Amino acid sequence: MELGTAVIPVAQRHPLVLASQALTTQAATGNRLTLGIGAGISAMVGRMYGLPVDRPVRRMREYLEVLRPLLRGESVEHRGENLTAMGRVGVPDARPPQVLLAALGPAMLRVAGEVADGAITWMTGPRTLADHIVPTITKAAADAGRPFPRVVAGFTICVTNDEQAARAGFDEQFALAGQVPEYRAMLDREGATSPADLLIAGDEESVIRRLNALRSTGITDLMATPVGDASSQARTTTTLAALLT
């Protein structure tokens, strides 16, 4: 079973540190890790840690240019615009994991296609995935002569008989997400007024129908997060398991 992170903010972790952690996890899990990373929400990175949040795309490209060789066990000697890194990480029996990038905007999606192995999304609906996310990253990878990228689409799901209550509860829980500029841009693209508009909710039949419809968007993976009360989450998990089999 694949083990993934979605996602680790990199501003707080030097590439040498993250490479060491990732390869140690690979060795401990029999090389089952997919490493999902991101620039982090600017408001949190700046306010909580006091770290710079300007030029996130340039910073991420440079970070990946250092991280990828380290994950391959290569030595780096890098003195760049934003990073200094000298050394290597060696963990016996650890293979370099795939690296997926949290990417929503066009520039970050191009980095994901050109330098990473794919992208992870959240707060993106089917229309945005089909018309923006998948075409942008796929073109970037093709132009760079790289393989077809993975696109892991994150959705929250609730199998319930009270869809209205589920959406109201979700809106209350994730109200702040709708104010984050990175997510707000995706909601606006989708024509959604709030995060609850992207919640996949309803009875088993309606949820399965909406999940099956996601196949046409071009995504390669679904990252499903059950939400709601304990009963709803149990029903959601059972429904997802049945869909997979």
Side-chain angles (χ1 to χ4, degrees), residues 153-211:
F155 278 89
T156 45
I157 304 171
C158 182
V159 176
T160 176
N161 293 330
D162 193 343
E163 180 179 344
Q164 185 175 356
R167 294 191 184 280
F170 187 82
D171 244 352
E172 182 178 352
Q173 183 178 0
F174 288 93
L176 287 177
Q179 301 173 29
V180 173
E182 295 91 332
Y183 298 144
R184 185 67 256 172
M186 295 300 104
L187 292 171
D188 291 342
R189 236 181 222 278
E190 192 71 17
T193 57
S194 73
D197 290 340
L198 302 184
L199 174 66
I200 297 178
D203 60 17
E204 284 81 356
E205 182 179 354
S206 63
V207 165
I208 289 175
R209 184 171 61 251
R210 289 188 61 186
L211 290 176

Side-chain angles (χ1 to χ4, degrees), residues 124-126 129 153-160 167 198-227 232 235-245:
T124 54
L129 288 166
F155 278 89
T156 45
I157 304 171
C158 182
V159 176
T160 176
R167 294 191 184 280
L198 302 184
L199 174 66
I200 297 178
D203 60 17
E204 284 81 356
E205 182 179 354
S206 63
V207 165
I208 289 175
R209 184 171 61 251
R210 289 188 61 186
L211 290 176
N212 281 327
L214 291 175
R215 300 177 190 273
S216 65
T217 63
I219 64 172
T220 60
D221 300 78
L222 172 68
M223 181 175 65
T225 303
V227 296
S232 293
R235 284 179 66 184
T236 302
T237 302
T238 300
T239 301
L240 291 170
L243 183 62
L244 287 173
T245 55

